[in-house]
Amino acid sequence: KRKKKKENKKRKKKEMSTKKKRVVIIGASFSGLLTASILKKEFDVTVIEEKDFFEFTPGILRCFVEPNHIKNITFPLSQARDKEINLIEASSVTEVQVNEKYCTLENKEKIEFDYLVISTGRYYNSPIRPSKDERYLTARRKSIFDSATEIKNAISIIVVGAGLVGVELAAELIERYPTKIITLLSSSPSILPTLPKKAQIICEKWLIERGVSIIKNDRIKDIPQETSKIKKNRTFQTEKGLNLNGELIYWCTGTLPSLSFLQSNQILSEKIQNGYILVNDFLQVDGQTNIFASGDAMFRSKSDQKMAFSAKLTGQTIAENIQIINDNNNN
């Protein structure tokens, strides 16, 4: 009888060690999808995505002058289903419980995890990134076509923010519509402040030669509610007193990661600094061994570049670190 009890105990222990650990990834982003694809063989992987489609964000600005391009850079997540990955689409996480190891969906369903990866990307202002009303691909594509029509019919357009997104949008607009009045407004002393000086000079020269008006070290004084719909004879005043004509205005500034679902958890909310979640050199959330953050959601150092290729590198690093931690725990 004792021998049988001992054997049952040993069998149970073996089953626990061979049972796949649960990895929950919040966000079907560049980094999140790569992490999932690397871990799917060894782990029970679940990906939670608030939309029902994937969008190649770096290509979205072309869509405002060539709206059919949206079909080239989006696809339904249902078309990319993997039998080895549990995909929960068109659903948002509302909270994460660190000690209890689960996250809650908006329908109150609880998804348990052994490892959690936060890969939510960042919010740009609509229509550059899908709004809350564009959870489904049909709505997203309609929004892009509507925006492209507004741009085509506008005489003057202001692009606020002269970082990578703002400069690229201004370039797309002036290339497609060389007779439109395009104004690029930067709150910094230069455009593309994160790039080398030589790149700034080359890009600024290119824009000016094509007729883009560039204003630096200034901001719009009063931010209006609705700017993505044409309003004739509309002017905006800057803090320095300039009056700018803009039937349309596109906001390409103030982008932050999508981390509102962490605010209800004191442990994790304390790790958010300037809108980003702090991670260590292993991309673990500060103070946590089983919770990671990747891509646009994380902050490790000021040298971090928020680009697709670097996001994928963080996704790969996280997958490898989870494998190492899991192997060490099993030995």
Side-chain angles (χ1 to χ4, degrees):
K1 199 172 182 179
R2 284 182 184 174
K3 190 178 178 182
K4 194 173 181 180
K5 194 175 179 181
K6 195 174 182 181
E7 284 175 356
N8 287 339
K9 195 174 180 181
K10 192 183 279 186
R11 193 183 300 112
K12 192 175 180 182
K13 191 175 180 182
K14 188 178 179 182
E15 285 173 358
M16 285 180 69
S17 64
T18 55
K19 187 180 178 182
K20 286 185 176 182
K21 294 292 185 182
R22 301 157 300 183
V23 177
V24 172
I25 300 168
I26 305 175
S29 57
F30 292 109
S31 56
L33 290 175
L34 182 59
T35 302
S37 67
I38 294 172
L39 296 179
K40 65 182 182 181
K41 297 287 186 185
E42 300 173 58
F43 297 83
D44 179 6
V45 176
T46 298
V47 176
I48 304 169
E49 171 55 46
E50 64 181 356
K51 306 184 299 296
D52 78 338
F53 61 94
F54 176 84
E55 182 173 286
F56 182 73
T57 306
I60 197 65
L61 299 177
R62 174 60 54 86
C63 298
F64 296 121
V65 295
E66 294 179 17
N68 280 316
H69 186 55
I70 190 68
K71 297 172 184 176
N72 300 327
I73 64 167
T74 55
F75 61 83
L77 287 172
S78 58
Q79 290 182 4
R81 280 194 178 276
D82 189 318
K83 291 179 181 178
E84 296 175 294
I85 297 173
N86 307 310
L87 175 63
I88 301 173
E89 60 184 84
S91 185
S92 298
V93 173
T94 57
E95 67 167 347
V96 173
Q97 291 300 328
V98 174
N99 297 327
E100 293 84 355
K101 295 184 181 179
Y102 70 82
C103 42
T104 306
L105 303 182
E106 56 194 354
N107 65 359
K108 307 302 180 185
E109 181 184 356
K110 292 181 180 179
I111 309 295
E112 297 179 333
F113 62 82
D114 297 296
Y115 300 96
L116 179 68
V117 183
I118 301 167
S119 303
T120 46
R122 66 167 71 189
Y123 278 123
Y124 290 92
N125 292 293
S126 178
I128 295 174
R129 277 293 293 270
S131 69
K132 294 291 185 183
D133 297 326
E134 296 164 18
R135 175 172 283 190
Y136 299 98
L137 185 52
T138 49
R140 177 57 171 160
R141 287 179 174 174
K142 182 183 182 302
S143 170
I144 291 297
F145 274 85
D146 288 347
S147 296
T149 299
E150 291 291 307
I151 286 171
K152 184 179 179 180
N153 294 332
I155 295 172
S156 57
I157 303 171
I158 300 172
V159 178
V160 179
L164 295 171
V165 176
V167 168
E168 184 180 342
L169 179 56
E172 290 282 8
L173 294 174
I174 202 66
E175 273 283 274
R176 180 65 181 83
Y177 300 111
T179 60
K180 289 189 187 299
I181 302 168
I182 309 296
T183 303
L184 180 63
L185 182 63
S186 174
S187 60
S188 302
S190 64
I191 68 170
L192 301 170
T194 61
L195 295 189
K197 188 70 178 174
K198 186 176 180 181
Q200 296 174 7
I201 293 169
I202 291 171
C203 291
E204 183 171 340
K205 183 173 181 287
W206 188 96
L207 290 168
I208 291 172
E209 284 175 350
R210 283 157 181 78
V212 175
S213 174
I214 300 176
I215 299 170
K216 304 173 193 173
N217 268 329
D218 207 350
R219 301 171 188 267
I220 285 181
K221 198 172 182 180
D222 297 311
I223 300 173
Q225 291 292 320
E226 177 58 71
T227 58
S228 60
K229 301 292 181 186
I230 289 178
K231 187 175 179 181
K232 297 291 183 182
N233 303 317
R234 178 163 52 181
T235 60
F236 299 92
Q237 191 173 56
T238 70
E239 291 179 353
K240 291 185 176 179
L242 294 175
N243 289 314
L244 306 178
N245 295 320
E247 292 182 350
L248 288 178
I249 183 166
Y250 276 82
W251 299 94
C252 302
T253 184
T255 60
L256 288 173
S258 316
L259 299 174
S260 58
F261 61 93
L262 298 181
Q263 297 297 340
S264 60
N265 185 278
Q266 186 178 353
I267 296 171
L268 293 178
S269 63
E270 288 177 352
K271 304 303 177 185
I272 297 175
Q273 184 175 299
N274 297 324
Y276 297 89
I277 189 160
L278 302 177
V279 297
N280 60 24
D281 289 342
F282 303 101
L283 306 187
Q284 294 162 310
V285 174
D286 229 13
Q288 303 298 316
T289 57
N290 67 324
I291 301 179
F292 298 78
S294 65
D296 288 348
M298 61 157 224
F299 178 85
R300 188 183 62 87
S301 73
K302 289 182 178 179
S303 62
D304 293 339
Q305 288 291 327
K306 302 301 183 184
M307 297 181 180
F309 84 91
S310 56
K312 291 178 75 172
L313 287 176
T314 64
Q316 181 178 344
T317 300
I318 287 172
E320 292 171 355
N321 286 340
I322 288 175
Q323 288 171 325
I324 291 168
I325 293 169
N326 198 59
D327 289 343
N328 289 339
N329 289 340
N330 289 336
N331 292 332

